Amino acid sequence: MPSSFFFFFFAKMSGSSNLVAMKKVVQQLRFEASINRVKVSQAAADLQQFCMQNALQDPLLTGVSSSTNPFRPQKVCSFL
Amino acid sequence: MCDQTFMAITFGPCDNCSTTSPLMNIYIKNEPTNYCSFCVEMMACQGLLKGETLASLKNESESLKKKLEEERAKLHDVELHQVAEKIEVVSALSIKTRRVLKGHGNKVLCMDWCKDKRRLVSSSQDGKVIVWDGFTLNKEHAVPMPCTWVMACAYAPSGCAIACGGLDNKCSVYPLSLDKNENLAAKKKSVAMHTNYLSGCTFTNSDMQILTSSGDGTCALWDVESGQLLQSFHGHTADVLSLDLAPSETGNTFVSGGCDKKANVWDMRSGQNVQSFETHESDINCCRLYDLRADREVAVYQKDSIIFGVSSLDFSLSGRLLFGGYNDYTINIWDVLKGNRVSMLFGHENRVSTVKVSPDGTSVCSASWDNTLRVSRALGMPWLLVLYSLT
């Protein structure tokens, strides 16, 4: 008798925790469904515009001239 | 403490109704409490509206998921690379390794740049955290950590402190002093405490707050001075392996990536999971680009010849280039808009664990399991100007 009561106890507990978890999932999905979205064409155009606008300021894209490059290979000085 | 919600059975007086019975150890608004089973049921039912059962909630969640798919598909009118067809191809890059930082005794797991664009901090499996001067290769500080596998490290925006953590489940902050002889380990300040390993940490816009991600499936925002938990972010169903803040100064969001194959966008103030992206499949090794306003994946960066996974990635300053560190010891550089691979960086003799572009965008640093870090830069073409002037 005590063991069957315990089993019922555990079954009920998992039931309520599933309920709480499921409620959270549904609330999250409701929230996500309600956000505003833009079309991919619009988003892609904006991405492209950002990249183009900042392209000249991107040193990895355009390169850095040797004289201003602190990472250039260090030359060794010699006495003449 | 930041923790996932676990159910455990103890026996004693209930915090709500004071009857002595088997108790559930639950968290309400981040506070641990012990409720008896009856009170837990009552609490769960209070949240339900009339007529809601487990079955009806399941149906609703299925229909909502379908609706989300439809909404996202409706806006998918064109591919990113189609829009980008008209722009010029990225001209041949001449990015080469300029510095190799040697000194760690074991795998380098993480690195971060300082805002002064020359210093970096790196952490390693051997338990050491080293602050380097990237120009002179000087090791400015070396901090021994009490644990091995220091998986995360970050430089404070002021340049006056570093944060690191790993298998010790904590994130500790060390203020950096100018005095080389001072024992930094003595000034250690434990800020974050998780129930599993620390996988990532970063300072927010100031030295005062730290954002952490952990193997316990949560992310958390902490106040450095008091060590208090300001906000916790629950939602991942497996280890969270990485995080990144939104770039703008006023931005209040960050994204986290986890082993549940999801990338979640969070609001830092409310703890709410704002958006979630789940199109990664575990057996395809690629990078995916998700547009937040279109709320969907817009590009995939992959090649049949690449069969190893990516461990870390970072964008160049303009966002045109994507640097990915792979487990096949290379770094692949992708054109973000067109979707093709532009170049590759070789040199590491083991997996690349972290790739980060410097704050001014001039260099990219890669940390690897071969115990070294490499700093690479693009070479300009001043001799081209000479050629033009001669003709």
Side-chain angles (χ1 to χ4, degrees):
Chain A
M1 191 52 201
S3 56
S4 61
F5 164 75
F6 235 49
F7 177 76
F8 176 72
F9 180 84
F10 274 114
K12 232 173 176 283
M13 285 308 98
S14 62
S16 73
S17 69
N18 272 350
L19 210 52
V20 173
M22 208 59 210
K23 180 80 184 168
K24 273 199 191 137
V25 168
V26 169
Q27 273 173 341
Q28 179 64 26
L29 284 171
R30 277 188 201 145
F31 179 84
E32 282 182 27
S34 63
I35 62 175
N36 288 326
R37 295 175 184 84
V38 308
K39 282 201 176 153
V40 175
S41 48
Q42 173 68 41
D46 288 344
L47 278 174
Q48 189 176 307
Q49 192 188 19
F50 182 87
C51 288
M52 296 286 97
Q53 272 175 343
N54 294 301
L56 285 176
Q57 276 87 47
D58 187 348
L60 284 166
L61 201 54
T62 59
V64 177
S65 77
S66 194
S67 55
T68 58
N69 183 0
F71 282 99
R72 67 183 180 276
Q74 289 152 325
K75 296 199 175 69
V76 181
C77 300
S78 59
F79 287 106
L80 295 171
Chain B
M1 261 295 256
C2 188
D3 201 343
Q4 282 278 36
T5 308
F6 293 113
M7 299 289 206
I9 306 286
T10 54
F11 196 87
C14 169
D15 284 344
N16 197 30
C17 63
S18 310
T19 51
T20 315
S21 63
L23 299 176
M24 317 285 294
N25 178 264
I26 60 172
Y27 285 80
I28 302 177
K29 291 192 179 12
N30 294 332
E31 296 290 333
T33 45
N34 288 319
Y35 273 19
C36 70
S37 55
F38 187 66
C39 293
V40 171
E41 285 275 8
M42 291 291 290
M43 207 179 60
C45 291
Q46 270 160 18
L48 291 177
L49 299 170
K50 209 168 175 192
E52 274 184 356
T53 62
L54 194 63
S56 77
L57 283 176
K58 256 205 180 108
N59 286 336
E60 197 181 348
S61 88
E62 292 301 315
S63 70
L64 276 172
K65 277 188 193 153
K66 270 210 194 86
K67 188 176 167 215
L68 262 176
E69 289 289 322
E70 281 166 12
E71 290 292 318
R72 284 174 171 170
K74 261 191 232 166
L75 300 162
H76 188 200
D77 50 352
V78 77
E79 296 283 344
L80 176 60
H81 61 85
Q82 287 170 323
V83 171
E85 259 163 13
K86 300 188 200 98
I87 56 175
E88 278 172 32
V89 179
V90 171
S91 55
L93 296 178
S94 57
I95 299 179
K96 292 207 167 56
T97 301
R98 303 286 172 204
R99 290 284 189 276
V100 181
L101 286 78
K102 294 188 192 174
H104 275 295
N106 213 324
K107 307 178 175 70
V108 188
L109 301 173
C110 186
M111 60 81 47
D112 193 21
W113 285 94
C114 179
K115 287 242 157 55
D116 72 358
K117 311 151 212 162
R118 67 185 274 172
R119 285 186 178 77
L120 8 109
V121 62
S122 61
S123 66
S124 163
Q125 187 198 333
D126 65 359
K128 284 251 173 53
V129 176
I130 300 182
V131 178
W132 313 76
D133 179 331
F135 291 178
T136 62
L137 298 189
N138 205 14
K139 295 183 195 50
E140 298 200 342
H141 300 95
V143 184
M145 288 278 286
C147 68
T148 55
W149 286 90
V150 189
M151 291 178 243
C153 62
Y155 225 118
S158 66
C160 298
I162 52 168
C164 47
L167 283 187
D168 57 353
N169 299 359
K170 293 192 248 180
C171 184
S172 316
V173 175
Y174 294 84
L176 296 174
S177 71
L178 293 170
D179 180 4
K180 298 276 154 77
N181 295 327
E182 192 160 358
N183 184 10
L184 281 182
K187 290 206 156 169
K188 167 175 154 175
K189 195 181 174 71
S190 276
V191 174
M193 277 239 291
H194 280 277
T195 52
N196 210 329
Y197 64 89
L198 191 87
S199 54
C201 68
T202 178
F203 283 86
T204 58
N205 290 329
S206 74
D207 279 19
M208 293 291 101
Q209 291 181 351
I210 284 191
L211 194 56
T212 57
S213 66
S214 168
D216 65 13
T218 66
C219 301
L221 184 64
W222 310 83
D223 176 80
V224 175
E225 198 55 48
S226 61
Q228 202 191 5
L229 173 66
L230 297 172
Q231 184 64 259
S232 64
F233 306 91
H234 296 255
H236 277 288
T237 50
D239 301 18
V240 184
L241 288 186
S242 60
L243 52 76
D244 194 24
L245 284 167
S248 92
E249 306 258 306
T250 52
N252 281 305
T253 58
F254 73 95
V255 64
S256 65
C259 290
D260 53 357
K261 299 182 246 168
K262 283 205 193 133
N264 289 341
V265 181
W266 308 87
D267 180 327
M268 278 206 280
R269 288 167 299 184
S270 64
Q272 168 84 39
N273 177 3
V274 175
Q275 281 172 289
S276 183
F277 301 101
E278 196 180 3
T279 61
H280 268 288
E281 301 153 46
S282 62
D283 57 348
I284 295 183
N285 302 303
C286 58
C287 306
R288 291 175 196 265
L289 183 68
Y290 298 99
D291 187 290
L292 295 182
R293 294 178 317 146
D295 190 35
R296 60 168 296 118
E297 175 190 292
V298 292
V300 185
Y301 307 101
Q302 64 185 350
K303 245 176 137 64
D304 287 340
S305 53
I306 299 176
I307 54 172
F308 285 86
V310 197
S311 59
S312 167
L313 45 79
D314 203 3
F315 286 100
S316 71
L317 212 61
S318 66
R320 185 70 195 272
L321 300 174
L322 178 67
F323 295 87
Y326 287 72
N327 292 344
D328 62 2
Y329 315 173
T330 65
I331 297 171
N332 288 308
I333 307 175
W334 302 88
D335 180 333
V336 170
L337 297 175
K338 288 190 183 282
N340 60 308
R341 180 172 63 186
V342 176
S343 183
M344 285 176 80
L345 284 177
F346 296 96
H348 277 298
E349 290 157 20
N350 208 323
R351 286 193 192 191
V352 180
S353 57
T354 306
V355 173
K356 278 225 179 100
V357 172
S358 67
D360 60 352
T362 56
S363 343
V364 55
C365 180
S366 53
S368 163
W369 282 17
D370 66 0
N371 307 2
T372 67
L373 295 105
R374 282 170 178 261
V375 181
S376 308
R377 265 200 174 206
L379 183 64
M381 307 281 193
W383 50 269
L384 264 179
L385 295 169
V386 174
L387 218 62
Y388 277 122
S389 67
L390 286 176
T391 52

